[in-house]
Amino acid sequence: MYSHYQAHCQQHGIEPVNAASFGKLIRSVFLGLRTRRLGTRGNSKYHYYGIRVKPGSILSRLMDNNSGNNSDSGQPSSKRNKSTSNSSVSNVSANCANSGKSSLSSADNHQATLMATSPEVLQTYLGDPDSILPSVWPEEPTLTCNDTDSPSALATRFAACYRKHYEQVISAIGSLNFSSIEGLWRSFWQAEAIPNCDSSDKEKSQSSLTLEQLHQLTSSPRAEGDIDAEVITSLADWIIQTDYTLYNSLISSLLLPNLLKPIPQQLTQQIRNFAKNINNWMISALIGYDQSFISLKLSAVIAFSHTLRRYTSLNHLSSAARAVLQNQQQIQQMINDLNRVDFNDVQEQASWVCQCEDQVVEQIEQSFKQLLQELNPFDKWGHWCEQVLDMCLQDNDVRSSTQFFFKWGFYSSLVMRDLTLRSASSFGSFHLIRLLFDEYIFYLIEHRVAKVTGKTPLQVLGEVRKQLIHCNERERSKR
């Protein structure tokens, strides 16, 4: 089973977990699964007992082929195992390539779609790239000046160029051409798009900006109160506001328009690789610029990267939790284990730290048990998280939200501790659900704070990070 999993990860470019972690996941999904040690002395191995490959699965043909090869090979067991492992990898790839020709059930068809790697199929999971700019593009600075080389005139030209630049970025991401973003950023900020303009390109060159003009617009103001300084400061504010707005729309309207809807693993991996690289891409594109401007740009890019990684993790957790919350046997085991938890003891331990009302804590406990007893709790867990926030979070400001998240984490850790001490069979399921709820509640909180403050969630995240950096710098200066 682990070999099939490794072959799947290798085919889709996913880094596999180790054998121990894989075993824990298998046991959390398939409750009651046992292991038996089979084989001759000195050559025995652990095997799962009580599970088999589905008759309609593509792996069933693979195992039939392997069993036929093993029976006719006449090789020693060690060599036969090695050859079987190598053939299994190739056979998995061949079977996956030909899976469209086989007759699959509806569930298998859905799984095959999630495993698809065709760009055309992956793009069907994205939003509409053409609707982003018309709906969220901020108002451009309109400054009139007769001098075409003045900062005011250059700022107006910059805004027009910046929109064309974002059109290219959105088009590339909408085509899943993530690797081209590095070149687009470098081409714009290093003014590589117009190396030498001839007479036929005069109109184009007049609407573009040179590298020297870009440095002039993004440098720190020399004197306060100067008109040029005010233009440069307002332009910097407009640039960072535009970045936060467009990055937020790229996530919510294009890459992950339906956050909790399962997406193909190949698309998830492409998005995560993109998020991993964009920080270095922006640093490389801004070589030679003013340090304060680089810090502004990086604050938005870091928030963009961090949010992409978090949201793809939330999407993955939602897909993983589906297997738990749609399995009635597992849900019943979770209810039985949860009924053994001493919530009075949990409340006594947490009350002096969190100072929460007993009635509120009991109401959350009963509502969660009721959620598990629903016919299909997977369709309702998101609404339950929103109800908890409505019950506990009166003011959606940063301080109140931080306090709630601290209390939520403290209470849930005590419940998990009690489940651990009682050796609960469904501990793995509860651990998965807790990770999902933590991520989704954080997602809801940041969107509520953003709505109250009139900012995007990315901007809220970026400003909080900036405050933490300033606090750390003050602490270092005191030392």
Side-chain angles (χ1 to χ4, degrees):
M1 184 182 293
Y2 186 66
S3 297
H4 295 325
Y5 165 71
Q6 286 181 310
H8 168 79
C9 292
Q10 181 181 5
Q11 181 186 3
H12 295 282
I14 304 172
E15 184 176 353
V17 299
N18 58 38
S21 299
F22 179 77
K24 292 178 181 178
L25 289 173
I26 291 296
R27 287 179 175 276
S28 67
V29 174
F30 302 100
L31 296 179
L33 192 64
R34 291 176 291 173
T35 56
R36 295 179 64 180
R37 195 172 183 89
L38 303 176
T40 59
R41 182 183 296 273
N43 196 30
S44 60
K45 292 182 179 180
Y46 278 106
H47 293 69
Y48 286 118
Y49 177 69
I51 188 173
R52 65 180 178 86
V53 176
K54 290 183 177 180
S57 172
I58 58 176
L59 293 179
S60 61
R61 295 190 298 276
L62 168 65
M63 297 185 68
D64 291 339
N65 294 337
N66 285 344
S67 61
N69 292 337
N70 288 342
S71 61
D72 298 335
S73 63
Q75 300 179 32
S77 59
S78 60
K79 294 183 179 180
R80 186 167 62 245
N81 290 336
K82 183 177 181 180
S83 63
T84 301
S85 176
N86 292 335
S87 64
S88 66
V89 175
S90 60
N91 285 334
V92 166
S93 302
N95 279 307
C96 288
N98 298 324
S99 60
K101 301 179 182 178
S102 60
S103 56
L104 301 175
S105 63
S106 59
D108 291 335
N109 281 328
H110 176 68
Q111 184 64 24
T113 302
L114 293 182
M115 294 173 61
T117 58
S118 169
E120 292 76 13
V121 175
L122 297 182
Q123 288 178 22
T124 61
Y125 290 85
L126 303 181
D128 182 14
D130 297 331
S131 64
I132 294 179
L133 281 180
S135 59
V136 301
W137 185 256
E139 183 179 356
E140 298 178 2
T142 54
L143 303 171
T144 58
C145 184
N146 295 329
D147 187 1
T148 57
D149 291 330
S150 66
S152 299
L154 293 178
T156 303
R157 288 165 56 186
F158 176 88
C161 294
Y162 209 45
R163 179 170 182 132
K164 293 180 181 178
H165 169 63
Y166 261 111
E167 288 177 355
Q168 296 174 329
V169 170
I170 293 172
S171 176
I173 294 178
S175 302
L176 299 179
N177 190 9
F178 294 110
S179 59
S180 66
I181 301 300
E182 179 183 14
L184 289 174
W185 282 350
R186 184 176 61 251
S187 176
F188 180 82
W189 291 110
Q190 297 299 327
E192 296 175 355
I194 47 169
N196 290 307
C197 296
D198 53 25
S199 58
S200 63
D201 294 331
K202 284 184 178 180
E203 183 178 351
K204 179 180 178 182
S205 63
Q206 289 175 357
S207 63
S208 303
L209 297 171
T210 64
L211 182 59
E212 183 180 358
Q213 290 171 334
L214 287 173
H215 286 175
Q216 179 184 351
L217 287 174
T218 57
S219 59
S220 299
R222 297 180 179 178
E224 295 183 1
D226 184 47
I227 297 179
D228 292 348
E230 293 178 0
V231 172
I232 292 175
T233 302
S234 62
L235 180 63
D237 294 338
W238 181 84
I239 291 173
I240 194 65
Q241 179 64 40
T242 301
D243 286 349
Y244 277 125
T245 302
L246 267 296
Y247 290 159
N248 189 79
S249 295
L250 284 172
I251 297 175
S252 60
S253 301
L254 183 58
L255 292 174
L256 295 167
N258 191 340
L259 184 60
L260 301 181
K261 177 183 177 181
I263 62 176
Q265 298 169 347
Q266 183 73 11
L267 179 57
T268 300
Q269 194 63 32
Q270 288 186 23
I271 295 175
R272 292 187 69 85
N273 289 337
F274 172 64
K276 180 181 178 180
N277 293 321
I278 56 177
N279 294 352
N280 293 330
W281 291 352
M282 183 58 72
I283 293 174
S284 176
L286 295 177
I287 292 176
Y289 279 80
D290 188 86
Q291 189 59 44
S292 60
F293 180 72
I294 294 177
S295 299
L296 280 176
K297 290 286 294 182
L298 284 181
S299 64
V301 171
I302 291 173
F304 183 36
S305 172
H306 180 71
T307 304
L308 277 176
R309 291 196 296 268
R310 276 187 42 236
Y311 285 10
T312 50
S313 296
L314 175 56
N315 181 273
H316 179 72
L317 285 170
S318 175
S319 300
R322 182 186 298 270
V324 174
L325 294 178
Q326 290 183 339
N327 188 318
Q328 291 300 320
Q329 182 180 357
Q330 287 182 272
I331 292 175
Q332 187 58 50
Q333 184 63 52
M334 292 174 67
I335 294 174
N336 295 338
D337 291 337
L338 197 62
N339 288 332
R340 298 189 186 98
V341 174
D342 189 350
F343 281 95
N344 291 329
D345 183 58
V346 170
Q347 172 62 1
E348 288 179 3
Q349 293 183 61
S351 59
W352 69 277
V353 176
C354 301
Q355 299 178 354
C356 293
E357 298 180 6
D358 295 349
Q359 183 179 0
V360 175
V361 176
E362 184 179 359
Q363 191 172 353
I364 294 175
E365 172 200 343
Q366 296 301 325
S367 64
F368 179 67
K369 291 179 178 178
Q370 185 177 357
L371 171 70
L372 292 179
Q373 294 172 353
E374 295 282 350
L375 183 62
N376 192 359
F378 181 79
D379 296 333
K380 301 174 182 178
W381 68 264
H383 181 62
W384 180 83
C385 292
E386 293 186 16
Q387 287 181 327
V388 170
L389 286 180
D390 293 337
M391 188 189 313
C392 302
L393 200 58
Q394 303 299 329
D395 300 321
N396 293 318
D397 54 45
V398 176
R399 182 176 180 82
S400 301
S401 302
T402 304
Q403 288 296 317
F404 167 79
F405 205 73
F406 164 74
K407 295 175 182 178
W408 168 269
F410 192 76
Y411 269 98
S412 58
S413 65
L414 289 178
V415 174
M416 296 300 295
R417 172 180 173 272
D418 197 295
L419 290 169
T420 304
L421 294 177
R422 297 178 188 275
S423 300
S425 302
S426 60
F427 176 82
S429 300
F430 274 110
H431 180 64
L432 178 62
I433 298 303
R434 183 198 176 185
L435 292 176
L436 175 63
F437 284 9
D438 285 354
E439 282 291 340
Y440 191 65
I441 285 179
F442 188 79
Y443 165 82
L444 293 175
I445 287 176
E446 69 180 6
H447 277 73
R448 292 191 178 201
V449 172
K451 185 177 181 180
V452 169
T453 57
K455 302 174 182 177
T456 63
L458 261 71
Q459 190 170 359
V460 172
L461 180 65
E463 292 179 353
V464 169
R465 178 180 176 276
K466 188 185 298 184
Q467 292 175 2
L468 290 175
I469 292 176
H470 290 166
C471 291
N472 292 334
E473 290 177 349
R474 284 199 299 267
E475 289 295 329
R476 293 193 194 99
S477 61
K478 290 179 181 179
R479 296 174 185 174

